[in-house]
């Protein structure tokens, strides 16, 4: 699987990306909002062992690398958790802080939503977000996700109970959003 945008290539993350993944996932500003923050390259190698080889296999995680098209450089990753019902996907994303604020996350997320809703015909996409991660929340809202739940101390993370916010989008909301975008561009 490979998706292309104007500036990005989204393709299966592989072991050749291990060092780049380790570098940005180890940064403190990334670590505080991610459940996977490796402390060694060995942990990154172990991470790859648990990933699905192909997308759209129920109850698996499939990880895509976000690469700059021109430089062929890994700048982030997208995780897709294909839920057991076959109709829903949980999505997670990470972008190297050096590349944030340039529209790359919006571009990558838009393309993956298009793939999930239009090609795979998924019914619902969700994202779990730390309520302190304001950048991530703004991204989801900009893309048309809506807040569905706020769980107070609903997630046990690094030895403490923390709050968790769930955002979601239905396929019909995606379709309606695309119609609105097309009408506004006329």
């Amino acid at each position: 699987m490979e998706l292309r945008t104007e500036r990005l290539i989204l393709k299966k993350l592989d072991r050749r990306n291990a060092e780049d993944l380790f570098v940005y996932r180890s940064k403190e500003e990334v670590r505080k909002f991610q459940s996977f923050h490796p402390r060694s390259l060995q942990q990154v190698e172990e991470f790859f062992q648990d990933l699905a080889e192909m997308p759209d296999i129920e109850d698996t995680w499939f990880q895509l690398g976000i690469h700059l098209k021109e430089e062929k450089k890994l700048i982030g990753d997208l995780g897709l958790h294909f839920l057991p019902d076959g109709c829903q996907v949980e999505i997670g994303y990470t972008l190297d802080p050096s590349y944030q604020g340039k529209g790359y996350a919006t571009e990558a997320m838009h393309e993956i939503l298009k793939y999930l809703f239009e090609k795979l015909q998924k019914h619902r996409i969700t994202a779990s977000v730390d309520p302190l991660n304001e950048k991530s929340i703004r991204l989801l809202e900009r893309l048309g996700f809506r807040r569905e739940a706020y769980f107070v101390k609903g997630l046990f993370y690094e030895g403490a109970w923390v709050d968790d916010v769930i955002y979601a989008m239905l396929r019909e909301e995606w379709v309606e959003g695309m119609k609105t975008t097309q009408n506004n561009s006329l």
Side-chain angles (χ1 to χ4, degrees), residues 23-161:
V23 169
Y24 69 79
R25 282 279 187 143
S26 299
K27 293 180 179 179
E28 183 55 38
E29 59 266 49
V30 172
R31 292 169 45 92
K32 68 183 174 183
F33 294 125
Q34 290 292 339
S35 58
F36 174 64
H37 37 78
R39 302 202 189 310
S40 69
L41 273 173
Q42 177 62 35
Q43 284 184 319
V44 174
E45 289 294 330
E46 292 166 4
F47 170 75
F48 281 107
Q49 293 172 6
D50 295 330
L51 298 177
E53 289 298 315
M54 298 174 54
D56 207 15
I57 298 171
E58 290 181 21
D59 204 21
T60 64
W61 279 94
F62 183 78
Q63 206 78 15
L64 291 160
I66 303 171
H67 302 263
L68 287 178
K69 193 184 278 186
E70 295 298 316
E71 301 168 34
K72 308 251 190 294
K73 176 173 178 43
L74 180 73
I75 62 168
D77 59 276
L78 286 163
L80 306 174
H81 181 201
F82 293 91
L83 298 174
D85 66 9
C87 299
Q88 300 183 74
V89 177
E90 175 187 4
I91 193 166
Y93 44 87
T94 306
L95 195 66
D96 184 326
S98 307
Y99 294 91
Q100 292 178 6
K102 296 174 170 82
Y104 293 126
T106 302
E107 193 173 322
M109 283 288 288
H110 183 272
E111 191 65 22
I112 200 65
L113 290 171
K114 180 179 171 185
Y115 172 77
L116 292 170
F117 284 131
E118 295 177 16
K119 181 162 176 55
L120 297 185
Q121 295 291 300
K122 296 301 178 186
H123 167 68
R124 183 169 175 266
I125 311 299
T126 61
S128 169
V129 185
D130 184 316
L132 299 176
N133 192 343
E134 295 172 5
K135 289 179 181 178
S136 186
I137 288 171
R138 282 194 307 270
L139 170 65
L140 290 169
E141 290 175 350
R142 188 169 52 251
L143 289 164
F145 280 78
R146 76 193 131 61
R147 181 185 285 196
E148 282 197 339
Y150 188 115
F151 296 105
V152 177
K153 294 187 178 183
L155 184 64
F156 195 70
Y157 177 69
E158 299 209 345
W161 288 100

